[in-house]
Amino acid sequence: MEYKDYYKILGVSRSATPEEIKRAYRKLAREFHPDKNKDAGAEARFKEVNEANEVLSDPEKRKAYDALGANWKAGQQFNPPPGWDFGGGAGGFGGGFDTRGFSRGRTRAGAAGAGMGGAGGFSDFFSQLFGGAAGGFGGAGGGFQNFENATPGDTRAKLSINLEDSYEGAQRQISIGERVLNVRVPKGVTSGQTIRLAGQGSQGGDLLLELEFAPHKQFRAEGRDVHVTVNLAPWEAALGGKLPVPTLGGTVELNLPANSRGGQKLRLKGRGLPGATPGDQFVNLQIVQPPAASDADRAVYESMAKHFAGFDPRQN
């Protein structure tokens, strides 16, 4: 079998800290996740990244792997040294999971198995070293152990969703070993809530998926409230008027008061995440000054300076 250089796969040095490994893994997992990357080879690369993280994020597995030495090159034929016995066990979670208990609200949802062929198992190299006791968990972005010898109990993991998934409701697929589960994300869920999949955990226990929002290019959520920053030209802030504002439900017009200030917050009631009491959207105003890129531009600013000669921004 071929030796796998897990450090090279994640693009980190052999002295990388756990935080550096976590950052590298998350970046690559987002890049090659099959839900987002449809290029040929992306799924195989995603599995490879998951496997590398499964080893390097686990202190016992990493220690055992490092004991093999740093002189191996990826692709070389490899066999475990005589007497090799990994004593770290196969229990626990891979680096993509957080095993802390959940104390926030839970949302119950159904899950249905959808046949074989999920995110798949690990390589022969991994199996020879660690017993092959892990399978991919693509939906939550990390390694997930098979608990064939575990006692029944709830299994916990994190599931990253988009703000739009909460606003509109969504269906998501996650892979556990060779099982694919369909997960319904209800409208109005918030970060930290848990979806319980009855009977889908270890040995007949439940699978608890703690929801977290993926970073969004425009919006940020706090509970059911949504925050967005909108840029203004100086004359828009001074004169006021109709201001187009993006929301999760589409663009709306906000009545911008005259003499608005940078850093000021305006509220769009009920435009946050849905619920029995919908959240609000808060619009943070940011004034952007046009550059004085030409003589004509400078002349305008000089005229303004003369017109507002009595205005002292450091006193007002």
Side-chain angles (χ1 to χ4, degrees):
M1 64 181 173
E2 293 184 352
Y3 175 82
K4 286 186 174 291
D5 188 336
Y6 292 133
Y7 291 99
K8 184 176 181 180
I9 289 171
L10 291 186
V12 297
S13 70
R14 298 186 75 88
S15 61
T17 65
E19 190 59 35
E20 289 171 334
I21 289 171
K22 182 187 295 185
R23 284 199 301 267
Y25 163 72
R26 288 179 174 175
K27 177 178 180 294
L28 293 171
R30 284 194 297 267
E31 180 179 353
F32 293 105
H33 196 290
D35 287 348
K36 296 183 178 180
N37 191 331
K38 304 301 182 184
D39 293 345
E43 184 174 356
R45 183 80 170 95
F46 179 70
K47 292 179 182 179
E48 190 176 47
V49 167
N50 268 343
E51 180 175 319
N53 181 67
E54 173 72 25
V55 174
L56 299 186
S57 66
D58 184 308
E60 292 295 330
K61 288 190 181 77
R62 183 179 181 182
K63 182 179 178 181
Y65 175 74
D66 287 345
L68 297 173
N71 297 323
W72 290 92
K73 293 182 179 179
Q76 283 185 334
Q77 289 302 303
F78 172 84
N79 285 303
W84 171 267
D85 180 22
F86 172 63
F93 291 89
F97 287 86
D98 188 334
T99 60
R100 295 171 296 179
F102 304 130
S103 58
R104 305 190 193 180
R106 292 177 174 176
T107 300
R108 194 172 187 87
M116 307 292 283
F122 285 69
S123 68
D124 291 342
F125 176 75
F126 180 97
S127 298
Q128 284 289 327
L129 293 182
F130 305 111
F137 189 106
F144 183 81
Q145 300 288 353
N146 291 330
F147 289 89
E148 295 179 359
N149 299 318
T151 56
D154 291 344
T155 302
R156 293 173 170 83
K158 283 193 173 183
L159 177 61
S160 180
I161 63 172
N162 298 320
L163 279 172
E164 288 85 354
D165 294 336
S166 174
Y167 188 80
E168 300 170 358
Q171 292 283 341
R172 286 289 175 264
Q173 284 191 339
I174 58 175
S175 299
I176 304 178
E178 295 182 337
R179 291 186 300 145
V180 177
L181 305 178
N182 294 315
V183 180
R184 183 178 68 85
V185 179
K187 284 186 178 182
V189 293
T190 57
S191 182
Q193 279 191 283
T194 300
I195 293 178
R196 178 185 291 268
L197 306 184
Q200 301 298 328
S202 167
Q203 294 290 295
D206 295 344
L207 175 60
L208 305 179
L209 298 176
E210 184 187 12
L211 301 177
E212 61 180 5
F213 290 133
H216 197 284
K217 63 181 181 180
Q218 282 185 305
F219 304 109
R220 176 177 58 84
E222 290 184 2
R224 282 195 168 82
D225 292 335
V226 173
H227 297 255
V228 67
T229 297
V230 175
N231 293 337
L232 300 176
W235 49 89
E236 289 179 307
L239 301 176
K242 299 291 186 180
L243 177 67
V245 173
T247 74
L248 288 168
T251 300
V252 301
E253 282 193 339
L254 173 68
N255 288 319
L256 180 69
N259 298 315
S260 293
R261 305 178 307 279
Q264 184 177 351
K265 287 185 179 180
L266 304 177
R267 184 173 70 162
L268 290 171
K269 189 173 178 58
R271 288 287 181 171
L273 297 178
T277 302
D280 300 329
Q281 176 164 311
F282 291 91
V283 182
N284 182 53
L285 303 179
Q286 179 172 282
I287 298 176
V288 179
Q289 174 181 308
S294 66
D295 290 343
D297 296 337
R298 287 183 57 82
V300 171
Y301 277 114
E302 288 168 355
S303 175
M304 289 177 61
K306 292 177 181 178
H307 182 81
F308 293 106
F311 175 73
D312 185 350
R314 284 162 290 283
Q315 294 296 324
N316 293 276

